[in-house]
Amino acid sequence: MRNPEYTKVTILEASGKLFNVKGYKATSLSDITNKTGLTKGAIYSHFGNKATLEKEALKYMIQKMFSIMGQQIKAKKTAPEKLKAIFSFYKQYTSNEPIHGGCPMFNAAVEADDAHPELKEVVNNAMKVVHQSCVQIIEKGIKYKQLQQSTDPVGFATVIFSSLEGAIMFSKMSGDKKYIQQVIQHLESYLEERVM
C-alpha cells in the first residue's frame, strides 16, 4: 500500500520536472503517468484535474527553489554577502541548475498569460517574495551601515531581480553563459559602490 503523502510528492516531483522542461501545455497526462508509473485515476485522486496539478507542481518547484536559495542566503552574515549569494544562486542556472530545466518562475511566466490565470497568480506571488526579500536585505544593510543611506531598496531590488531573470533567459536562449556573467559583474560593481 502506497503512502498518500509520498505518492503526492512523487507526482509533484515528476510532473514538475516535465512541466519545467517540456512546458505546461505540451506535457500530457500520459507523460506524467509514464514518468510516475501511476494511473490517471491515481493522479486525479490527488489533484482533481491537470490545471490543479500544474498549479501545485509550480508551487512545489518554487518552494524547492526558495529553500535552496534561502539556505545560501542564511549562510551569509552581511547584506552585501547575502546579495552576492542571490547572484551566485542565479548564476548556477547556467552550469549546475538548482531546478532542472531552468528557473520555474521564468518558465511558467512565459506560458502564464491571461489564458492561464492560476499559473500567472503563482508566478506573480513568487516574484513578489523574491523582490521583497531583496528589499528587506537591502533595508537591513542600510540600517546596520553596511550599505549607503542613499541606496534605494525597492529600485535596487527591482534591478537585481529583473536583471538576473532576464540574463538567465538570454544565456539559456543563446547557449552562452557570458550574459549572466556580465549581468552579475555589473550588479557586483554597483553593489561595491554602495558598500560602506
Side-chain angles (χ1 to χ4, degrees):
M1 190 80 165
R2 287 183 186 263
N3 176 314
E5 193 55 35
Y6 175 80
T7 302
K8 189 174 181 180
V9 170
T10 299
I11 295 167
L12 289 171
E13 187 75 35
S15 60
K17 286 178 183 175
L18 287 167
F19 293 142
N20 208 40
V21 172
K22 197 171 177 181
Y24 290 83
K25 291 175 189 167
T27 301
S28 68
L29 203 57
S30 296
D31 293 329
I32 297 166
T33 59
N34 290 338
K35 186 85 171 168
T36 60
L38 298 168
T39 64
K40 289 182 183 181
I43 291 168
Y44 280 142
S45 73
H46 284 279
F47 297 99
N49 56 46
K50 187 175 177 238
T52 301
L53 175 56
E54 289 173 347
K55 181 180 176 181
E56 293 306 313
L58 177 57
K59 285 163 101 175
Y60 176 80
M61 285 188 295
I62 288 172
Q63 190 53 50
K64 200 171 173 181
M65 175 184 161
F66 285 175
S67 177
I68 296 165
M69 185 165 36
Q71 288 172 7
Q72 294 177 11
I73 293 168
K74 284 178 186 172
K76 304 300 180 183
K77 301 244 185 264
T78 68
E81 289 171 346
K82 288 177 185 293
L83 293 173
K84 286 181 182 178
I86 294 170
F87 304 163
S88 178
F89 172 81
Y90 274 91
K91 187 176 182 181
Q92 292 174 67
Y93 274 107
T94 59
S95 54
N96 183 24
E97 297 176 320
I99 308 287
H100 182 64
C103 176
M105 282 189 297
F106 180 83
N107 290 344
V110 171
E111 287 190 64
D113 55 17
D114 293 333
H116 211 322
E118 288 186 344
L119 277 187
K120 187 175 180 178
E121 182 184 2
V122 173
V123 173
N124 226 342
N125 290 338
M127 288 179 5
K128 287 176 184 173
V129 168
V130 176
H131 185 262
Q132 191 55 38
S133 296
C134 290
V135 170
Q136 289 172 350
I137 290 168
I138 295 163
E139 286 176 342
K140 284 184 180 176
I142 294 167
K143 180 180 177 181
Y144 294 110
K145 302 192 185 319
Q146 298 162 356
L147 296 172
Q148 293 175 9
Q149 293 289 317
S150 60
T151 305
D152 172 12
V154 175
F156 191 21
T158 302
V159 169
I160 289 170
F161 181 69
S162 56
S163 297
L164 290 171
E165 286 286 342
I168 289 173
M169 185 268 303
F170 204 171
S171 287
K172 281 187 72 70
M173 293 302 292
S174 67
D176 193 336
K177 298 176 188 177
K178 75 179 179 187
Y179 300 109
I180 188 76
Q181 291 166 348
Q182 287 170 347
V183 163
I184 289 172
Q185 283 173 359
H186 175 74
L187 290 172
E188 286 179 339
S189 294
Y190 182 79
L191 176 59
E192 288 306 317
E193 291 171 8
R194 317 303 313 163
V195 172
M196 293 189 67

